[in-house]
Amino acid sequence: MSNKAPIILAVDTPDIELAQKWIETTSDFIAGYKLGLEFFLAFGSEGVRKLQRSSDAFLFLDLKLHDIPNTVSHAISQVKSLTPRFLTVHASGGRAMIAAAVEQAPDIEITAVTVLTSLTPEALSEVGFKKDPLESAVTLALLAQHAGARAIVCSPLETHAIRAAVGPEISIITPGIRRAHQAGADDQNRTMGPKQAVQAGATYLVIGRPITGAWSQGAKAMRDAADEIAQEVS
Ligand code: C5P
């Protein structure tokens, strides 16, 4: 039975055939799939098109662009024909850079990454941020919204505060999702369960290993993993 949920599958593999199988196997349950820099640098636009032919799920192109406005604008002009639903830029690239991205691709939901969850308060202070990670993330989310971004990426633990600041319209997309029995699994430390993340205000959840990790036990196990999480958030 089909049970599509607000899940974006993190397709983190350098194997294009495997990526295709993962997307096909979970397509009844996922709304979209995320391809990042590793995939894009390995296979380019042609690789993305190949995957698009195997699924009706939307594409989240996670390139995390961060450069001067003119360069970001030209970079986006090279990928906009892929028609991703979401395309990421770093909010810390500033208002003009985000606005240039939006202007270049008005039909794509330009998505601003706030503060990387890998940055500790000390690491953030080292690069010159005066506020703590939560305050910095809220500030960047508001800046991005004012510059025209239509989605925000943040930690699930920041979702509640960011949702309160940006209001109901903008999409909030959050990684770092683990089910209760998987808390602290893999390299994710500050995690939240799928249901709690949606209750905190997330629009979409980026989920990788809690689903893709089941592939080693076969396609059915992976389908079941996606189905279980989809049921939890639907
Ligand atoms: O396997 P897992 O569910 O941890 O995958 C999460 C995905 O979200 C990965 O593609 C990871 O790179 C990405 N991500 C993250 N934390 C961030 C930003 C992106 O885990 N702050």
Side-chain angles (χ1 to χ4, degrees):
M1 204 183 72
S2 171
N3 179 25
K4 276 206 190 262
I7 296 171
I8 299 175
L9 184 73
V11 180
D12 292 323
T13 169
D15 179 338
I16 194 164
E17 316 298 335
L18 185 60
Q20 206 161 1
K21 284 184 191 142
W22 282 357
I23 294 168
E24 282 167 4
T25 300
T26 56
S27 66
D28 281 345
F29 309 104
I30 61 167
Y33 55 96
K34 177 173 92 75
L35 299 177
L37 273 177
E38 181 184 8
F39 184 95
F40 195 75
L41 293 176
F43 303 110
S45 296
E46 214 25 68
V48 175
R49 285 200 182 91
K50 187 169 173 188
L51 291 192
Q52 283 177 313
R53 286 194 283 272
S54 58
S55 174
D56 63 352
F58 66 70
L59 169 65
F60 178 109
L61 192 55
D62 191 18
L63 300 184
K64 292 194 178 69
L65 299 171
H66 188 169
D67 211 312
I68 61 171
N70 186 54
T71 302
V72 165
S73 176
H74 284 124
I76 292 177
S77 74
Q78 296 300 318
V79 293
K80 68 181 183 184
S81 67
L82 296 173
T83 62
R85 161 118 186 245
F86 299 102
L87 171 65
T88 54
V89 302
H90 273 287
S92 56
R95 184 190 298 269
M97 186 204 79
I98 298 165
V102 171
E103 191 182 343
Q104 174 60 246
D107 296 334
I108 295 173
E109 297 183 42
I110 296 298
T111 301
V113 177
T114 54
V115 176
L116 295 175
T117 46
S118 53
L119 289 172
T120 61
E122 296 72 38
L124 204 59
S125 147
E126 263 176 18
V127 295
F129 281 61
K130 303 236 173 348
K131 299 175 180 170
D132 67 23
L134 176 63
E135 267 187 280
S136 300
V138 171
T139 302
L140 286 167
L142 283 168
L143 171 83
Q145 184 179 35
H146 292 141
R150 283 155 67 190
I152 300 291
V153 173
C154 64
S155 144
L157 303 180
E158 291 154 2
T159 301
H160 189 75
I162 290 184
R163 178 58 78 203
V166 299
E169 295 299 321
I170 196 163
S171 295
I172 296 183
I173 303 174
T174 175
I177 301 299
R178 290 295 178 272
R179 303 183 75 206
H181 63 278
Q182 300 169 317
D186 309 317
D187 52 1
Q188 298 280 17
N189 292 313
R190 298 166 68 230
T191 63
M192 205 184 254
K195 194 169 185 169
Q196 294 91 309
V198 170
Q199 281 166 349
T203 318
Y204 287 105
L205 311 176
V206 172
I207 304 181
R209 289 162 292 179
I211 295 174
T212 58
W215 178 256
S216 57
Q217 286 128 54
K220 180 175 182 310
M222 189 176 186
R223 239 183 102 78
D224 289 348
D227 189 7
E228 274 177 38
I229 298 178
Q231 286 190 34
E232 197 175 323
V233 293
S234 296

